[in-house]
Amino acid sequence: MVAIKRVWNDLLDLFYPNPCCACDTPLVGNEEVICTQCRLSLPRSNSHLIEIPSLADKFAGKVLVKSVYTFLKFEKGNRVQRLLHHLKYNNRPDVGQTLGRLYGQELRTARVNDQIDLLLPIPLHSRKLAQRGYNQSDAIAEGLSETLAVDWSATLLKRSKFTSTQTRKTRMERFENVSGIFDVTEPEQIKEKRIGLVDDVVTTGSTLESAIIELLNNGAKEVSVITLAAAY
Ligand SMILES: [Zn+2]
């Protein structure tokens, strides 16, 4: 029965091959979600090896961040943009899990797992969550948690306020727009913990900043940011 199923799946792949979510070439053999070639050659930031000043600058002078880790370089039209698009708009949480697992492996080689006690994804507002059906940052945290061997929680950080888009606002307006939008549901669970705050992409940093303030105000020891991609 298993053999028949495998043959059937191979036949399906032959006629309707799943494309790689990054480069669109058909996946072959055991490849899933992202092809081997892309897994090896996606443009890495290597921010766990060398600090990227323009990335740290997004938070400088505003809020205390331990480290900012970002997996991939975001450029318009590149494979990273395609991956993020699938993750956010094409009902593909498996893209987040896959990239989270890959990034967790890399961070583990730099022993980042020894510096983080708990992973917390940036939550979506319940209205947005109902629309999309999943929180893309949960998917990333799940993947990271698997290979980093660090716990994660989808409920300790909650989004209480719905916010409009950030892109056409000034820095001050952006900050006012996102201040106080997060709540910590059980402060005793994050007390003295070193938190890895997980998001898909760093743009202005304002949303992350607001979450960092909330975590530190509720007794977290320190906060690092871990994202899949950043433009810098
Ligand atoms: Zn590919």
Side-chain angles (χ1 to χ4, degrees):
M1 198 56 198
V2 174
I4 294 172
K5 198 170 174 200
R6 194 175 309 137
V7 169
W8 176 246
N9 282 340
D10 284 350
L11 274 175
L12 275 181
D13 283 351
L14 198 62
F15 292 108
Y16 306 103
N18 279 320
C20 164
C21 286
C23 73
D24 264 345
T25 58
L27 295 171
V28 293
N30 292 330
E31 289 180 346
E32 278 176 17
V33 187
I34 302 168
C35 76
T36 310
Q37 178 63 24
C38 284
R39 283 173 191 245
L40 295 171
S41 66
L42 282 169
R44 260 70 166 179
S45 301
N46 287 320
S47 56
H48 58 298
L49 304 176
I50 313 152
E51 191 182 331
I52 301 165
S54 58
L55 202 57
D57 280 356
K58 286 180 190 281
F59 303 95
K62 295 187 278 183
V63 67
L64 202 62
V65 180
K66 177 73 175 20
S67 305
V68 182
Y69 301 110
T70 187
F71 188 24
L72 303 168
K73 281 186 209 160
F74 184 86
E75 291 155 2
K76 266 211 151 69
N78 77 355
R79 289 175 293 174
V80 179
Q81 187 183 24
R82 227 170 290 156
L83 285 167
L84 289 174
H85 187 87
H86 279 299
L87 173 61
K88 285 177 85 163
Y89 306 110
N90 287 350
N91 195 25
R92 293 297 302 263
D94 52 342
V95 170
Q97 288 152 353
T98 303
L99 288 170
R101 275 197 292 271
L102 284 177
Y103 196 26
Q105 277 163 5
E106 291 201 7
L107 291 176
R108 203 170 167 147
T109 62
R111 307 196 67 92
V112 171
N113 49 315
D114 291 343
Q115 296 154 40
I116 291 175
D117 305 311
L118 179 66
L119 297 165
L120 294 180
I122 287 282
L124 289 180
H125 189 269
S126 53
R127 204 190 310 171
K128 196 85 167 261
L129 185 63
Q131 234 172 44
R132 189 169 295 160
Y134 59 93
N135 175 5
Q136 71 276 9
S137 297
D138 284 357
I140 302 163
E142 203 184 325
L144 280 168
S145 167
E146 226 173 272
T147 46
L148 269 182
V150 172
D151 288 340
W152 76 283
S153 165
T155 54
L156 287 174
L157 191 62
K158 211 181 105 200
R159 198 175 193 119
S160 42
K161 211 164 89 182
F162 193 80
T163 49
S164 50
T165 179
Q166 294 284 81
T167 41
R168 279 186 295 275
K169 294 188 167 66
T170 66
R171 189 162 160 164
M172 195 58 208
E173 283 170 342
R174 279 199 303 262
F175 185 70
E176 281 168 2
N177 190 41
V178 296
S179 70
I181 62 171
F182 297 106
D183 285 323
V184 174
T185 55
E186 295 168 79
E188 66 280 9
Q189 299 288 332
I190 66 157
K191 220 167 202 63
E192 285 305 305
K193 295 251 170 86
R194 299 166 302 171
I195 307 288
L197 189 59
V198 178
D199 205 359
D200 51 356
V201 59
V202 195
T203 47
T204 65
S206 314
T207 309
L208 284 161
E209 200 182 315
S210 178
I212 293 163
I213 292 171
E214 199 60 33
L215 291 169
L216 292 175
N217 283 345
N218 279 279
K221 186 176 181 190
E222 59 191 36
V223 182
S224 292
V225 166
I226 306 178
T227 71
L228 284 188
Y232 54 87

